[in-house]
Amino acid sequence: MKNQSMIDACLDCFAACEYCATECIKMADENHLRCISLCRDCADICAQCVKFDSRSSEFSKQLMQLCAAICNACADECEKFAKEHDHCRECAEACRKCAEECMAY
């Protein structure tokens, strides 16, 4: 596929965000509420990007730009907890990679 590196980055980010959100929910710590919310948003838009690209939507580029913005916001939030939690560090890394790929779309 033409955009395989973007699709791979979105799928990796989707999985990392879902896992991070789940682990943060398990902690039941109010300090992680924004992290959970952003991870959920990020996972959803990453999945949507794959769908839009797969069907060659005329709105793919605009969606990728929004995805990059959400990925960067999620990475910023997860990085606050990255030293204490591997799932947050891994999520931030996946989000940065996804943002980079989406901006290059």
Side-chain angles (χ1 to χ4, degrees):
M1 290 185 93
K2 177 180 137 194
N3 300 308
Q4 193 61 49
S5 61
M6 181 278 302
I7 290 170
D8 290 343
C10 281
L11 292 174
D12 289 346
C13 189
F14 168 83
C17 286
E18 285 289 337
Y19 181 70
C20 187
T22 299
E23 292 303 303
C24 287
I25 289 167
K26 288 178 186 177
M27 290 189 295
D29 180 346
E30 281 189 24
N31 294 317
H32 289 264
L33 292 178
R34 185 161 190 263
C35 184
I36 295 164
S37 178
L38 285 169
C39 281
R40 293 175 71 206
D41 287 350
C42 195
D44 286 350
I45 199 163
C46 286
Q48 199 63 43
C49 284
V50 172
K51 291 177 185 180
F52 270 46
D53 182 69
S54 296
R55 61 182 174 234
S56 300
S57 171
E58 65 183 280
F59 298 102
S60 290
K61 185 165 182 65
Q62 293 95 323
L63 189 67
M64 300 302 165
Q65 291 171 344
L66 179 58
C67 184
I70 293 172
C71 283
N72 282 324
C74 188
D76 288 345
E77 189 65 20
C78 285
E79 284 169 351
K80 294 177 183 177
F81 307 106
K83 289 182 181 176
E84 297 88 23
H85 305 290
D86 287 342
H87 57 90
C88 288
R89 179 186 47 76
E90 292 166 7
C91 186
E93 290 169 1
C95 286
R96 294 285 184 215
K97 174 68 175 162
C98 187
E100 181 181 309
E101 289 291 334
C102 285
M103 287 307 293
Y105 185 83

